Amino acid sequence: MSDLDNVVAHLSHHPLPNHVTPTHLTGQVAIPEQTRDTSSPLDHFNTAPLEDVLHTLLTCLHSPRWAHRVADHRPYPDLESLLAAADEAAYDLTAADLAAALSAETLPELPDGTYSAAHTALCAAHAAYEARFGHAFVICVDHLPPSEVLDQILAGIRSRLTNDPEEERVVAAEELRRLARGRLRHALRGAGL
């Protein structure tokens, strides 16, 4: 008989003692059950009331048609599916939808500490843009470091002032789509639905 067989035979005749629970702990769990909130912001987006989701979506892109299209296709299996649906809905904006969305936009915010001459130059360029196209200048600068935002906005306005209105409508629609995508990502990160 091997050593292991001897140990097994000994334990079968002499079982280990049962754990004794002190009487004051009877019925209590020694280690509380661990619960962890495994819901994600996307889970919340998928299950939130329609009114809350529409409110959040309208802060991303002020187009009721776009917001309803994105909300109506819930639930989304992952963030990329949601963003793809948001992109598709943005590509399908009518001229009236685009005009409504653009009317709700404001000039992009400049980083703190931007000097006043830059504000003056930006206001002048923006006024020229609005006079030509009838809506606020929109540009997505999410990917830029704050030190480059002002230059990119000014360069964008100046270069896009040369567009004809139809060409600018296409560019503005693409910038709105990019803005909506970034805002939607930010809204989900904040989980403030």
Side-chain angles (χ1 to χ4, degrees):
M1 191 185 277
S2 73
D3 289 336
L4 180 58
D5 291 335
N6 286 333
V7 170
V8 171
H10 176 72
L11 287 176
S12 63
H13 290 93
H14 300 66
L16 295 173
N18 289 335
H19 177 67
V20 179
T21 303
T23 55
H24 70 283
L25 294 178
T26 303
Q28 294 184 11
V29 177
I31 299 174
E33 183 178 326
Q34 299 290 316
T35 58
R36 187 171 32 167
D37 182 12
T38 57
S39 65
S40 72
L42 185 60
D43 292 337
H44 186 72
F45 179 86
N46 283 332
T47 60
L50 178 62
E51 183 178 308
D52 294 348
V53 171
L54 289 174
H55 174 72
T56 297
L57 289 170
L58 287 171
T59 66
C60 298
L61 180 66
H62 194 75
S63 167
R65 183 171 178 261
W66 176 85
H68 277 281
R69 283 199 57 203
V70 174
D72 290 347
H73 287 92
R74 294 180 304 161
Y76 292 97
D78 53 44
L79 179 60
E80 288 310 311
S81 298
L82 170 59
L83 295 175
D87 285 349
E88 182 179 330
Y91 290 131
D92 291 340
L93 291 176
T94 65
D97 295 329
L98 181 59
L102 286 169
S103 72
E105 290 294 321
T106 59
L107 191 61
E109 287 187 32
L110 295 178
D112 291 336
T114 304
Y115 54 96
S116 63
H119 282 282
T120 303
L122 184 59
C123 287
H126 189 257
Y129 180 91
E130 279 191 328
R132 176 149 168 75
F133 298 111
H135 58 80
F137 175 76
V138 291
I139 187 170
C140 183
V141 291
D142 293 345
H143 62 286
L144 294 176
S147 62
E148 296 178 21
V149 169
L150 175 62
D151 291 338
Q152 185 66 34
I153 293 171
L154 283 170
I157 289 176
R158 288 179 184 140
S159 72
R160 287 169 52 188
L161 274 169
T162 63
N163 291 347
D164 66 58
E166 180 56 29
E167 186 179 26
E168 183 55 24
R169 188 191 70 74
V170 171
V171 173
E174 177 61 16
E175 290 298 323
L176 273 178
R177 183 197 64 76
R178 292 177 59 215
L179 284 168
R181 185 180 244 278
R183 290 169 181 166
L184 187 52
R185 277 184 188 273
H186 182 75
L188 286 177
R189 235 180 280 134
L193 297 177

